[in-house]
Amino acid sequence: MNTPKIIDLPKFLDPRGNLSFIEEARNIPFCIERTYWIYDVSGGEVRGGHAYHELQEFIVALSGSFDVILNDGKTDYRYTLNRSYYGLYVPKMYWRSMENFSTNSLALVLADKPFDENEYIRDFQQFKEIRNEK
Ligand code: TYD
């Protein structure tokens, strides 16, 4: 099974302003089928709180900062995202939550599948049972 990892993105530093980019299957280990973003999060709110059966994601803090907490069925791993030139690869079957959003933060999420509610596991006990069977 794949493991989560921080992936550095290309960056072109320029006095006019910096530029980074993502090419599917090159800078991230999958092809992009869907892009969504999370914004206008009020202080103290928590997003996520689910896992996906097969879906993989890549999360970038395009603006501001937030924490992504991943759980592999046993242990929590916390990643603070606060730069737009790296992101977090989230493989399938990791419980993930997002919290500590700063004011005006913007989370970009790239996914390898279209939206499908059947991909979600929204019960943590059920997730742990399935995860620890594998
Ligand atoms: P959800 O993934 O539960 O949000 P989060 O994990 O950030 O807390 O999605 C919230 C709602 O948005 C849910 O009703 C499904 C809908 N949604 C879509 O229709 N398409 C999408 O691509 C996503 C990510 C969510």
Side-chain angles (χ1 to χ4, degrees):
M1 200 175 274
N2 290 338
T3 51
K5 60 181 172 194
I6 294 287
I7 297 178
D8 289 321
L9 299 169
K11 59 178 172 182
F12 284 85
L13 302 180
D14 191 311
R16 299 171 301 158
N18 302 331
L19 182 151
S20 287
F21 61 89
I22 297 169
E23 290 185 11
E24 62 178 9
R26 186 167 171 200
N27 306 109
I28 57 172
F30 58 81
C31 291
I32 302 161
E33 280 284 332
R34 178 165 52 107
T35 303
Y36 64 94
W37 46 98
I38 297 168
Y39 55 98
D40 290 348
V41 181
S42 300
E45 291 294 345
V46 177
R47 301 288 317 211
H50 52 67
Y52 303 112
H53 288 287
E54 295 294 334
L55 186 89
Q56 312 171 74
E57 288 185 333
F58 185 71
I59 305 174
V60 184
L62 280 189
S63 179
S65 66
F66 50 85
D67 292 346
V68 183
I69 301 100
L70 299 183
N71 185 292
D72 60 3
K74 293 189 172 75
T75 309
D76 274 349
Y77 304 91
R78 181 179 292 267
Y79 300 86
T80 298
L81 302 185
N82 54 15
R83 292 284 184 271
S84 59
Y85 52 76
Y86 69 82
L88 176 65
Y89 168 61
V90 183
K92 66 177 184 179
M93 286 304 286
Y94 276 80
W95 189 264
R96 80 149 175 75
S97 302
M98 299 165 73
E99 62 182 37
N100 283 340
F101 287 88
S102 68
T103 305
N104 288 332
S105 56
L106 172 58
L108 174 73
V109 187
L110 310 179
D112 75 338
K113 289 179 180 49
F115 176 77
D116 177 2
E117 185 60 40
N118 294 323
E119 261 292 320
Y120 284 72
I121 306 170
R122 293 192 183 271
D123 181 276
F124 188 60
Q125 285 308 320
Q126 186 194 2
F127 162 72
K128 278 206 294 191
E129 284 165 24
I130 300 172
R131 187 63 158 81
N132 290 320
E133 273 169 15
K134 292 196 179 216

